[in-house]
Each structure stands twice: as structure tokens, then as C-alpha cells.
């Protein structure tokens, strides 16, 4: 239950200690909201997560805006080139957020991060008609 402020402190200490070897970061159920995205992106730009393979942000409250703000720098801008798995389950993502994510990912066809194997979006607030609108989904997206 570290919340936004706790994560900001954690990221700050990772930064000042130059902990570049982190391969997995599990931030499940920490009451994180979209307010953490600027801090997370700042750390990502510094290549602190250059070896990150798995990022679990499930069971938080990032919602539509927070998820989209993370997807663009992490996936499109390639701040985490070795990322294999991004878990975004149970973040109150609605149809609007899912549509935004898919409009970013579908034009890429292949993930622009060559190692990406899975972007998990299970147990969000995405209804069936919205899901079908984007079928077939990219192979690395799981609902």
C-alpha cells in the first residue's frame, strides 16, 4: 500500500542509487493513480529500467488516462526496450481507455519493443462490443 507518494520516494531512491539491474517490478495493489505517471516516465527516460523485463501494475487505479500516459513512453518511445510483460489488469480501464490503447498499438502491428510478449488487460471495464471492434487483437494483447 505504498500509494503515489511512496512510489515517488521509491523511484527517487532507485534513481540516486543507479539501480539499473532491476528486471522485475511488482507494484500490484498499491493504490496507484495516474499521478504517478510523470515520475515513472522521468525514471524511464533516465534508462533506469533498461533491463526491466516485467512490470506489474495490476489492481491499482490508473484508469484510462494513466494507462495511456504510460503506454506511449513505455511502448512507443521505447524507454524499456527489454520489456517482455506489462500487466495492467484491474485498473478500471473502460472502453475509452481500451480504444486509446488499441489505436496506439494496432498501427504498430508488431510491437515496437521487440521482446514484448504480453500486455495484460484482464478484469477491466471493457465490454464485449468494444473488444470485438479491434479483433483480431495483436498477439501480445490479452483480455
Amino acid at each position: 500500500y505504498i500509494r503515489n507518494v511512496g512510489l515517488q520516494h521509491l523511484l527517487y531512491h532507485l534513481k540516486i542509487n543507479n539501480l539499473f539491474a532491476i528486471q522485475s517490478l511488482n507494484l500490484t495493489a498499491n493504490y496507484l493513480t495516474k499521478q504517478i505517471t510523470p515520475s515513472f516516465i522521468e525514471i524511464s527516460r533516465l534508462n533506469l529500467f533498461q533491463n526491466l523485463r516485467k512490470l506489474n501494475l495490476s489492481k491499482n487505479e490508473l484508469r484510462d488516462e494513466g494507462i495511456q500516459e504510460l503506454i506511449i513512453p513505455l511502448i512507443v518511445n521505447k524507454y524499456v526496450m527489454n520489456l517482455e510483460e506489462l500487466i495492467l489488469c484491474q485498473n478500471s480501464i473502460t472502453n475509452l481507455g481500451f480504444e486509446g490503447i488499441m489505436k496506439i498499438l494496432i498501427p504498430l502491428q508488431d510491437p515496437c519493443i521487440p521482446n514484448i510478449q504480453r500486455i495484460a488487460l484482464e478484469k477491466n471495464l471493457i465490454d464485449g462490443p468494444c473488444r470485438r471492434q479491434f479483433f483480431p487483437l495483436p498477439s501480445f494483447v490479452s483480455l
Side-chain angles (χ1 to χ4, degrees):
Y1 305 114
I2 64 173
R3 301 182 190 272
N4 294 337
V5 173
L7 180 59
Q8 288 173 337
H9 289 297
L10 174 66
L11 292 175
Y12 171 77
H13 288 288
L14 293 175
K15 178 176 136 182
I16 64 172
N17 290 304
N18 294 320
L19 296 176
F20 294 104
I22 295 173
Q23 292 188 14
S24 181
L25 185 57
N26 186 345
L27 297 169
T28 301
N30 279 294
Y31 299 103
L32 302 176
T33 67
K34 76 174 196 154
Q35 281 72 36
I36 61 102
T37 55
S39 297
F40 200 88
I41 291 166
E42 175 191 343
I43 294 298
S44 299
R45 283 187 183 138
L46 298 173
N47 290 326
L48 182 65
F49 295 140
Q50 64 189 7
N51 294 312
L52 190 66
R53 298 198 186 305
K54 182 176 182 179
L55 176 59
N56 188 340
L57 292 166
S58 61
K59 297 182 182 178
N60 285 294
E61 288 297 320
L62 295 174
R63 301 184 183 269
D64 297 338
E65 304 85 19
I67 294 301
Q68 290 179 48
E69 288 175 15
L70 281 174
I71 289 284
I72 291 172
L74 294 181
I75 304 295
V76 177
N77 296 343
K78 304 178 184 181
Y79 289 151
V80 285
M81 285 301 295
N82 292 310
L83 190 67
E84 295 172 357
E85 190 170 15
L86 178 59
I87 303 171
L88 302 170
C89 304
Q90 293 181 322
N91 267 287
S92 300
I93 301 169
T94 68
N95 292 345
L96 181 64
F98 179 67
E99 288 173 8
I101 291 167
M102 297 314 295
K103 287 177 182 173
I104 293 166
L105 296 177
I106 285 180
L108 303 174
Q109 286 304 311
D110 295 315
C112 59
I113 295 178
N115 298 322
I116 199 81
Q117 296 172 7
R118 182 173 177 230
I119 296 177
L121 295 165
E122 290 95 349
K123 298 183 181 176
N124 279 293
L125 306 172
I126 306 161
D127 66 23
C130 184
R131 293 173 189 220
R132 286 189 293 278
Q133 175 184 349
F134 293 99
F135 270 80
L137 291 173
S139 61
F140 54 91
V141 174
S142 64
L143 286 174

